[in-house]
Amino acid sequence: MAAFFNQRNVIALLVLFSVAFPFITQNEYFLHIMTLSFIWMIGVYGLNLLAGYTGYLSLAHAGFFAIGAYSLGLLTVKAQMNFWLAFVLACLITSVVGLFVGLIALRTKEHFFAIYTLCVGYIIYLVIDKWESLTEGVRGLIGIPAPSNIGPIAFDNALSIYYLVLTILLLVILVVYRIVHSLNGRTYLAIRNSEDLAQTIGISTMKNKLTVFVLSTFFAGLAGALYASFVRFIGPDIGSTAITFDLLTYLLVGGIGTLSGPIVGTIIIVWVSQQLQFLQDYRMLIFGPVLTLLIIFYPRGIVGGVVDWRHKYQEKKNRKLSVNSLVKPEKQVKEG
Amino acid sequence: MFLETKNLTKQFGGLRAVNSVDFSIEEGKINAIIGPNGAGKSTFFNLISGFHRPTSGQVIFKGKDITTLPSNKIAELGVARTFQTTNLFEQSTVLDNVIVGHRLRTKSNLLDAILRTKRLKAEEKQCKDKAIEVLDFVGLTHVAHKQAAGISQEEKKRVAFALALATDPEIVFLDEPAAGVNPDETEGLAVLMQKMAEKGITVCLIEHKMSMIMKLADKIMVLNYGEKIAEGTPEQIKNNEAVIKAYLGGSAIA
Ligand SMILES: Nc1ncnc2c1ncn2[C@@H]1O[C@H](COP(=O)(O)OP(=O)(O)OP(=O)(O)O)[C@@H](O)[C@H]1O
Ligand SMILES: [Mg+2]
């Protein structure tokens, strides 16, 4: 039973469910919510790579999300660029901005880093809000085109966009999985554990942190570009700090530094908020305390909690085994 | 000279933690640095390993001036160190803790990871083999798969050695390797350091445990208030007036 809950299985199950989801429900609105959730997940994966694996909590991610969204919007609407070219450029532009922000931000640590990036995020929001001649300010950018056809595949209905976003999400998960389970992932964990120690064993901490920072802004930009082409209308609000804290909440609930945490957290929060919509903003009266309790008792979120529980279960079993047979247990639980 | 410092000085505000220290380390030997608390021993290590920039003076390793290199570059040149307090990644296994120690000898980058290239796979194996090898060397094969949180203090010290050894060093600096372990275990760690020296790795350690130092070291430097007050063989140090005075105001060193 315990072994069943390993993160690979969880992901496989969710993939199956996601692929089958449109067949389970014909409800367009649910499909819309799911597509949106997938887009958030991509952003949360970006945040997780940085905060969960190197230990740097960036609060600028809504800003980068907005840069991705506005780059796509402006390039397609104002510059009339080909959709997919604009899409790739939007991700690259976000990463380049990320590179410059990272070069400065990563000279700080811990809460200074969080505060600095919070300011950067807010500045990005202000620029979008105030630079009306470029971004149309509070009026927002309308008429963003849906993704243009890829060969015979047209993205003119909700279902095809759902599968497009799902495919991109799966690619993101694959990339993150491979990074985390490689020497690079080990390097990032070493940095999270102790930067001083990492540096003395020959790891260039700055280079590695910058790489992850840029990659995480790339994911944020990717999510933003998808959002713009999915919702087709964007306003400065998508860059507000409220969005950053939404992403962060998804990550914390799901499990920071875990592979399946972003999926679990996003799905749960998005659906629970949907169910509690009748409460309007009073929802926060429930979310606040629950989140606080969760972080106190399960600092690595739901997924982290399950993993720890599995460890304990395994240990108990091993202990029983060793009492029974007097052999030393060697079985290990693999952690995601 | 294998590694030497010239006029090495570190000023912290009004405090000269290390004051014009000239010291040379011979290849393949066990060198020791002793001195009272706050004498500047750890700071001296920090200067050599690139952790702090010296206020003035030089560090020369195999004829190359490494004074201003960042610590990761110094590690690449073959200079490893351990810290006074061992900070392992407690939630990981011992083996996982040590594998990353060989990362500096590998080249695979992010793209290798994403595409799972042959190079990445080969280098992952290389790192793992290295970790297994050094864990065997320090005698920890039996706890390789245990969580770092669940091993003894002495085993943690050995893991720190293993991590340093995984970087393929030519010289290791050990900051109080036997602090907080019992006499029997201290003996075991001394044997391990000898084994390292026999393998051709130069050892330089800071230690308060005099009996161990006197047996183990080929050469000793004594620091007091940031200054070198004596240098020589254990015999010479034992009978040095200045040293005896610095320790306990006159009573001889055991
Ligand atoms: N980063 C720092 N900033 C300011 N002062 C420091 C710093 N590091 C060390 N010092 C001071 O420098 C002096 C030497 O410290 P150091 O840690 O080198 O001593 P030590 O010989 O290693 O002592 P111990 O045997 O207790 O480890 C102390 O007075 C210490 O307070
Ligand atoms: Mg010290």
Side-chain angles (χ1 to χ4, degrees):
Chain A
M1 180 64 192
F4 180 76
F5 276 112
N6 87 45
Q7 299 207 51
R8 249 190 234 225
N9 287 347
V10 169
I11 289 178
L13 214 80
L14 284 168
V15 169
L16 270 180
F17 173 75
S18 311
V19 171
F21 182 75
F23 300 100
I24 300 168
T25 168
Q26 310 296 323
N27 187 326
E28 286 259 331
Y29 180 69
F30 285 172
L31 208 59
H32 180 92
I33 296 291
M34 270 309 249
T35 312
L36 217 49
S37 303
F38 292 165
I39 293 175
W40 294 130
M41 282 176 205
I42 294 172
V44 179
Y45 268 106
L47 197 59
N48 191 25
L49 206 53
L50 185 67
Y53 292 89
T54 66
Y56 278 73
L57 179 59
S58 164
L59 298 178
H61 265 55
F64 291 110
F65 181 85
I67 292 178
Y70 269 89
S71 301
L72 181 90
L74 293 172
L75 289 173
T76 50
V77 173
K78 294 207 166 172
Q80 298 289 319
M81 196 180 274
N82 166 286
F83 178 87
W84 289 109
L85 183 60
F87 190 83
V88 172
L89 276 179
C91 297
L92 293 182
I93 291 168
T94 315
S95 311
V96 171
V97 178
L99 177 69
F100 288 112
V101 171
L103 273 173
I104 302 166
L106 290 168
R107 297 188 181 280
T108 63
K109 277 191 176 106
E110 291 155 14
H111 44 286
F112 295 104
F113 179 83
I115 294 166
Y116 182 85
T117 49
L118 184 67
C119 296
V120 169
Y122 193 64
I123 291 168
I124 295 173
Y125 164 75
L126 281 181
V127 168
I128 293 172
D129 192 57
K130 304 294 177 215
W131 192 354
E132 289 192 18
S133 59
L134 181 74
T135 65
E136 303 297 324
V138 283
R139 264 168 294 149
L141 209 55
I142 29 180
I144 300 165
S148 54
N149 299 2
I150 301 179
I153 313 165
F155 299 104
D156 52 2
N157 59 59
L159 197 64
S160 55
I161 293 190
Y162 174 89
Y163 282 116
L164 172 72
V165 175
L166 179 60
T167 309
I168 293 176
L169 172 66
L170 293 180
L171 278 175
V172 167
I173 296 175
L174 179 72
V175 166
V176 171
Y177 176 86
R178 287 190 162 181
I179 291 173
V180 168
H181 290 90
S182 72
L183 283 176
N184 298 271
R186 289 180 186 279
T187 312
Y188 306 150
L189 280 181
I191 291 174
R192 183 181 79 180
N193 176 39
S194 162
E195 233 168 286
D196 288 349
L197 187 60
Q199 188 92 22
T200 49
I201 55 170
I203 290 168
S204 168
T205 50
M206 188 62 188
K207 199 178 96 191
N208 279 287
K209 289 186 301 188
L210 194 59
T211 309
V212 179
F213 191 85
V214 170
L215 196 67
S216 85
T217 58
F218 175 89
F219 287 142
L222 173 65
L226 279 172
Y227 179 89
S229 59
F230 173 61
V231 178
R232 318 270 299 263
F233 162 83
I234 49 176
D237 277 354
I238 58 166
S240 69
T241 44
I243 301 280
T244 295
F245 285 106
D246 278 351
L247 296 178
L248 191 59
T249 309
Y250 302 160
L251 181 57
L252 288 175
V253 169
I256 192 163
T258 64
L259 194 67
S260 51
I263 308 178
V264 174
T266 310
I267 289 277
I268 289 180
I269 299 282
V270 167
W271 284 102
V272 171
S273 325
Q274 283 302 316
Q275 299 310 308
L276 297 181
Q277 222 156 36
F278 67 94
L279 290 172
Q280 293 162 342
D281 277 351
Y282 294 106
R283 272 180 300 181
M284 292 306 152
L285 286 179
I286 299 176
F287 274 152
V290 170
L291 191 64
T292 313
L293 288 175
L294 190 85
I295 289 169
I296 291 172
F297 293 106
Y298 296 98
R300 297 204 311 140
I302 295 172
V303 174
V306 172
V307 168
D308 289 346
W309 171 76
R310 212 150 48 83
H311 267 292
K312 266 190 214 132
Y313 178 85
Q314 197 75 45
E315 242 164 55
K316 224 187 261 165
K317 215 165 79 179
N318 282 348
R319 221 174 295 138
K320 240 186 242 159
L321 257 171
S322 55
V323 169
N324 288 345
S325 58
L326 291 170
V327 287
K328 222 168 176 198
E330 282 299 333
K331 201 163 175 215
Q332 278 295 317
V333 190
K334 206 167 147 48
E335 201 176 334
Chain B
M1 250 325 120
F2 192 54
L3 189 146
E4 59 184 325
T5 67
K6 288 184 187 162
N7 264 313
L8 204 62
T9 301
K10 180 68 185 181
Q11 185 106 25
F12 288 120
L15 173 83
R16 286 211 158 191
V18 173
N19 196 353
S20 291
V21 175
D22 289 314
F23 183 52
S24 57
I25 295 175
E26 286 172 56
E27 187 166 6
K29 297 272 171 64
I30 297 180
N31 305 263
I33 298 173
I34 61 173
N37 288 109
K41 305 178 298 293
S42 295
T43 308
F44 184 70
F45 269 22
N46 286 338
L47 293 175
I48 292 176
S49 60
F51 236 72
H52 290 319
R53 277 275 167 91
T55 311
S56 61
Q58 282 179 306
V59 183
I60 293 160
F61 178 54
K62 295 202 290 185
K64 189 177 182 260
D65 187 338
I66 61 166
T67 317
T68 55
L69 286 183
S71 50
N72 62 311
K73 292 286 173 217
I74 291 176
E76 266 175 38
L77 291 176
V79 180
R81 71 166 291 181
T82 64
F83 287 92
Q84 197 163 346
T85 47
T86 321
N87 37 10
L88 299 175
F89 186 32
E90 304 272 322
Q91 288 96 295
S92 256
T93 65
V94 169
L95 182 66
D96 278 331
N97 264 285
V98 178
I99 286 177
V100 75
H102 201 58
R103 171 71 170 138
L104 80 171
R105 303 289 171 219
T106 63
K107 298 209 162 49
S108 55
N109 54 32
L110 204 60
L111 217 59
D112 288 294
I114 294 170
L115 302 174
R116 287 245 156 220
T117 57
K118 269 210 191 94
R119 174 163 79 170
L120 178 86
K121 284 183 197 154
E123 288 185 345
E124 274 180 349
K125 184 169 182 315
Q126 183 191 334
C127 288
K128 192 168 174 192
D129 290 348
K130 187 51 151 193
I132 291 170
E133 175 198 321
V134 293
L135 281 175
D136 179 53
F137 185 83
V138 302
L140 285 184
T141 307
H142 61 290
V143 295
H145 293 288
K146 263 199 185 168
Q147 291 231 325
I151 61 175
S152 73
Q153 189 60 29
E154 183 243 4
E155 284 166 337
K156 280 185 186 168
K157 297 274 179 189
R158 285 176 186 261
V159 178
F161 279 34
L163 189 57
L165 291 174
T167 64
D168 276 345
E170 291 181 41
I171 179 166
V172 288
F173 287 86
L174 308 166
D175 198 343
E176 301 198 17
V181 305
N182 70 36
D184 279 350
E185 294 168 339
T186 303
E187 186 58 37
L189 290 172
V191 170
L192 180 56
M193 282 182 259
Q194 254 154 354
K195 200 170 140 194
M196 277 156 71
E198 274 159 27
K199 206 185 159 207
I201 299 168
T202 309
V203 175
C204 181
L205 75 153
I206 293 175
E207 204 34 89
H208 283 296
K209 294 186 176 170
M210 283 308 158
S211 54
M212 172 192 184
I213 289 289
M214 291 300 164
K215 260 192 276 170
L216 195 63
D218 297 302
K219 181 183 174 183
I220 299 173
M221 167 170 82
V222 188
L223 285 182
N224 194 23
Y225 294 112
E227 285 183 54
K228 180 171 90 178
I229 57 168
E231 185 176 2
T233 61
E235 258 337 288
Q236 292 165 333
I237 295 297
K238 250 189 242 178
N239 303 314
N240 186 302
E241 276 301 319
V243 178
I244 294 168
K245 233 187 248 162
Y247 275 94
L248 304 171
S251 71
I253 300 170

